[in-house]
Amino acid sequence: MNISIITVGKLKEKYLKQGIDEYLKRMSAYAKVEIVEVADEKAPEVLSENEMLQVKEKEGERILAKLHPDTYVIALAIEGKQKSSEELADTLDKLATYGKSKIAFVIGGSLGLSQQVLQRSDEKLSFSKMTFPHQLMRLVLAEQIYRAFRIMRGEPYHK
């Protein structure tokens, strides 16, 4: 299984990088997992509705350029379906069983994902109704993917 975490912007926080690197190292026993960063669109602090749409569309084009046609895409979106860790493990297990070996999780920038990216996604996943910094979501997602592999293999993991 090949898993990509496609995300907007560079990660600057050292403590988040260290946590993500630890989970990537642990996951290497289960699958090839990579982080793919696309550039965020430079924009002023205060944006009009139209400017926000343009930023999301430009970032979305960069995300879509990283997706292969045969990739199963899971977009992280607040309006997505919430799942338990066991349900995420079941989803990944079923995808592997049915030959979907390329999976991409997509994390948008600070304004979220473009309509085009949401339309391209096969599934929308929400971690909460709350809004989280997209940089922090990288770490949370990496941990949950690792947890999913442990669950799929019947290996112990904290509940």
Side-chain angles (χ1 to χ4, degrees), residues 29-157:
Y30 305 106
K32 182 178 180 273
V33 182
E34 65 173 341
I35 305 281
V36 178
E37 293 179 335
V38 300
D40 55 347
E41 190 63 24
K42 302 297 176 220
E45 196 67 30
V46 179
L47 298 169
S48 71
E49 206 56 45
N50 193 38
E51 289 170 323
M52 282 193 262
L53 193 61
Q54 289 175 349
V55 167
K56 288 197 295 188
E57 284 176 0
K58 286 179 183 172
E59 291 174 348
E61 288 169 9
R62 294 179 191 132
I63 291 168
L64 292 170
K66 300 292 182 183
L67 297 171
H68 295 104
D70 61 342
T71 300
Y72 188 90
V73 179
I74 301 172
L76 271 61
I78 204 163
E79 69 274 9
K81 182 178 190 293
Q82 291 185 22
K83 295 184 177 195
S84 67
S85 297
E86 291 80 9
E87 288 170 325
L88 179 61
D90 188 54
T91 297
L92 294 178
D93 195 35
K94 283 180 178 156
L95 288 171
T97 301
Y98 294 107
K100 295 284 186 184
S101 61
K102 288 183 189 169
I103 300 167
F105 288 88
V106 179
I107 303 172
S110 58
L111 299 175
L113 292 167
S114 71
Q115 206 49 49
Q116 294 87 336
V117 172
L118 292 171
Q119 287 170 350
R120 167 61 180 91
S121 67
D122 296 286
E123 185 176 331
K124 294 172 194 69
L125 177 65
S126 173
F127 277 73
S128 171
K129 290 182 181 181
M130 293 183 212
T131 302
F132 294 99
H134 58 282
Q135 299 92 338
L136 179 61
M137 280 314 300
R138 291 190 203 192
L139 177 60
V140 174
L141 177 60
E143 188 279 335
Q144 284 298 305
I145 295 169
Y146 172 68
R147 184 182 295 260
F149 281 119
R150 299 285 295 191
I151 291 167
M152 286 174 359
R153 296 274 176 16
E155 297 171 353
Y157 203 79

Side-chain angles (χ1 to χ4, degrees), residues 5-50:
I5 298 173
I6 301 173
T7 181
V8 174
K10 291 257 182 251
L11 189 60
K12 298 170 192 77
E13 294 82 358
K14 189 176 179 182
Y15 68 96
L16 291 174
K17 281 183 186 176
Q18 290 171 329
I20 292 165
D21 288 344
E22 177 62 28
Y23 284 114
L24 290 175
K25 186 174 80 177
R26 292 180 188 188
M27 284 187 279
S28 66
Y30 305 106
K32 182 178 180 273
V33 182
E34 65 173 341
I35 305 281
V36 178
E37 293 179 335
V38 300
D40 55 347
E41 190 63 24
K42 302 297 176 220
E45 196 67 30
V46 179
L47 298 169
S48 71
E49 206 56 45
N50 193 38

